[in-house]
Amino acid sequence: MMDQSMFGWILASVLGLVAIYSLVAKKKRAGVSSEARSECVESVTTTTNGECGSGNGDVDVIIVGAGVAGAALAHTLAKDGRRVHVIERDLTEPDRIVGELLQPGGYLKLIELGLEDCVKGIDAQQVFGYALFKDGKNTRISYPLEKFHSDVSGRSFHNGRFIQRMREKAATLPNVQLEQGTVTSLLEENGTIKGVQYKTKDGKVLTAYAPLTIVCDGCFSNLRRSLCNPQVDSPSCFVGLVLENCELPYANHGHVILADPSPILFYPISSTEVRSLVDVPGQKVPSIANGEMANYLKTVVAPQVPPEIHDAFVAAVERGNIRTMPNRSMPAAPHPTPGALLMGDAFNMRHPLTGGGMTVALSDIVVLRDLLKPLRDLHDAPTLCKYLESFYTLRKPVASTINTLAGALYKVFCASPDRARKEMREACFDYLSLGGVFSTGPVSLLSGLNPRPLSLVLHFFAVAVFGVGRLLVPFPSPSRIWIGARLISGASGIIFPIIKAEGVRQMFFPATVPAYYRAPPVNRDH
């Protein structure tokens, strides 16, 4: 087995190379940022009539979208005394197949924001860990919750019920105006976003103005192109089903089946329902309309489902109501813009395999709340924009850890004909099955309880080294040494591009980023 010093040397060398590549990429991005901004005319309207600041001038913040991020942000800022105008395309209860699992780290953020009662009264289920299944074997991995109150755990629920509870809670505050309407563009004057143009439910075109506009319009955002450089990747789709009145092998646990060609998830979303998400690689899925999807689920997927829930799975397929959702990942690549900010899935996405999206969004809201709290006045847009650059660095420990883990685990968990990739997948399952620090370490990262990127890298390569060690015992034949070398190379090829996209400096050395130390601007009367 490779000794620690050699492993450390390899890791340090590769991290150094990635840092260089990251700096080069950063210069390239800086060169194209102005071009990207010029392509965004469809989502930005330039105001020339000098009326910015009139109309809804009594509003401090406009929030576009009232999903998990928008609703939680509206309540949080309003509780701090801000006057908030929320514009949401559809205020009826959402019906989605993702955003149904909140990790313990996200639940702690919910408590910090005073929104923990939003998971009550919606038949939410406590989640205490995961069960992994592979080739007839299974292992249970529990969240390390010993140090927390008994109420702290993951929560799984119907996404729409959760969002409606948060919308209702935000709307109870007198300084929140919650309105149904479709935002069609941001209003810009001399490079500063002054507000939004939107169409009301009855078709009227209105404008709203505020010193700060926060865009939270979700994964299909039509406004993000004016505020960031989106590099959206869609590696797969989730096919969603609801299993009724069945018992999972491990109660109150998420279940991950390392299936062929890619993972299958099961977790409870109410006391009588279990969500099934079947990952289908690529952007094209079998047709639901002509029965191809049902046939695929019955013939390819069902035989790989644990026997305890096989019949319930087949019954769910036969009932129909099969739904699909593209899985998207997008590193945060903001263009700091005076008067505006991106949040939630409009800003940053990761593969939903690990259920980390809501945890990242709620963590971002805590960071933003703490940054804005000392400010009375938000009208000095250029100064505020400069100050809020620290947001992009301060959010990194939680966001980059969850983002990187989600992308890396998805690639490791997918089946591959390559022998080295097979060994990495097997090593990951067996490593987690060892228990102790080998399971609690990775699951604490996944759960948002340990936002330390370095711990993630060390565990990831510990899995790779564990896999190489198994190959070299009892006899290190040339072919096994070659597979081991390819395993290490493959592991590097999985994780380092994700780290590079996240930003090596912000991820591992945030204290070296000048914005990390940015102090609040001095308040002046407007």
Side-chain angles (χ1 to χ4, degrees), residues 48-68:
T48 56
N49 56 13
E51 293 180 355
C52 284
S54 63
N56 286 17
D58 58 341
V59 172
D60 296 310
V61 180
I62 292 170
I63 296 176
V64 182
V68 171

Side-chain angles (χ1 to χ4, degrees), residues 174-288:
N175 46 340
V176 172
Q177 177 190 353
L178 186 57
E179 181 179 7
Q180 183 161 307
T182 302
V183 174
T184 55
S185 63
L186 302 174
L187 301 175
E188 181 176 339
E189 182 182 277
N190 300 325
T192 297
I193 302 300
K194 296 289 188 177
V196 299
Q197 183 178 80
Y198 66 103
K199 187 179 290 187
T200 63
K201 191 177 181 181
D202 56 4
K204 291 180 182 177
V205 177
L206 301 177
T207 55
Y209 300 99
L212 180 61
T213 299
I214 303 178
V215 176
C216 307
D217 58 346
C219 61
F220 300 108
S221 171
N222 64 341
L223 300 175
R224 68 160 66 101
R225 294 198 67 85
S226 56
L227 301 173
C228 75
N229 180 27
Q231 301 292 328
V232 181
D233 181 35
S234 298
S236 64
C237 288
F238 265 156
V239 179
L241 295 164
V242 174
L243 282 57
E244 296 179 350
N245 299 308
C246 67
E247 296 290 331
L248 287 166
Y250 295 94
N252 299 102
H253 281 68
H255 291 57
V256 183
I257 290 81
L258 275 60
D260 188 353
S262 52
I264 308 165
L265 305 180
F266 294 93
Y267 50 87
I269 54 173
S270 75
S271 53
T272 60
E273 298 164 299
V274 169
R275 167 65 71 197
S276 169
L277 292 174
V278 178
D279 185 84
V280 178
Q283 298 180 19
K284 187 177 180 182
V285 298
S287 170
I288 295 175

Side-chain angles (χ1 to χ4, degrees), residues 422-491:
K422 282 182 179 178
E423 289 290 343
M424 182 69 177
R425 192 178 190 226
E426 185 74 32
C428 187
F429 180 87
D430 289 347
Y431 182 89
L432 294 170
S433 301
L434 292 172
V437 69
F438 305 106
S439 64
T440 58
V443 82
S444 67
L445 294 161
L446 180 148
S447 62
L449 296 172
N450 175 18
R452 295 188 183 91
L454 186 58
S455 294
L456 166 61
V457 173
L458 292 175
H459 274 289
F460 188 80
F461 276 98
V463 171
V465 172
F466 175 69
V468 172
R470 297 191 325 161
L471 281 167
L472 301 185
V473 174
F475 178 70
S477 67
S479 64
R480 286 172 169 264
I481 292 173
W482 172 240
I483 293 168
R486 286 177 49 228
L487 192 157
I488 293 289
S489 174

Side-chain angles (χ1 to χ4, degrees), residues 69-211:
L73 183 62
H75 178 269
T76 299
L77 295 183
K79 203 168 63 169
D80 280 352
R82 310 286 182 192
R83 294 158 298 179
V84 182
H85 183 188
V86 186
I87 306 171
E88 162 59 37
R89 182 182 59 81
D90 185 358
L91 285 173
T92 59
E93 183 173 306
D95 182 16
R96 304 180 69 207
I97 65 170
V98 292
E100 299 172 314
L101 178 62
L102 179 66
Q103 297 287 1
Y107 183 70
L108 287 172
K109 297 298 179 183
L110 210 62
I111 293 172
E112 199 171 342
L113 294 170
L115 290 166
E116 67 273 20
D117 57 341
C118 291
V119 297
K120 296 174 182 174
I122 59 172
D123 200 15
Q125 303 298 299
Q126 284 193 288
V127 178
F128 298 109
Y130 281 87
L132 294 183
F133 293 75
K134 183 181 183 297
D135 300 333
K137 301 180 293 183
N138 66 79
T139 185
R140 182 171 62 175
I141 308 167
S142 297
Y143 294 134
L145 301 173
E146 298 81 9
K147 298 178 183 178
F148 299 99
H149 186 273
S150 60
D151 186 53
V152 175
S153 65
R155 290 292 193 285
S156 52
F157 39 67
H158 281 268
N159 171 269
R161 296 176 187 173
F162 178 56
I163 287 175
Q164 287 301 87
R165 289 282 287 114
M166 289 207 290
R167 288 173 177 174
E168 290 163 7
K169 182 148 186 175
T172 60
L173 298 176
N175 46 340
V176 172
Q177 177 190 353
L178 186 57
E179 181 179 7
Q180 183 161 307
T182 302
V183 174
T184 55
S185 63
L186 302 174
L187 301 175
E188 181 176 339
E189 182 182 277
N190 300 325
T192 297
I193 302 300
K194 296 289 188 177
V196 299
Q197 183 178 80
Y198 66 103
K199 187 179 290 187
T200 63
K201 191 177 181 181
D202 56 4
K204 291 180 182 177
V205 177
L206 301 177
T207 55
Y209 300 99

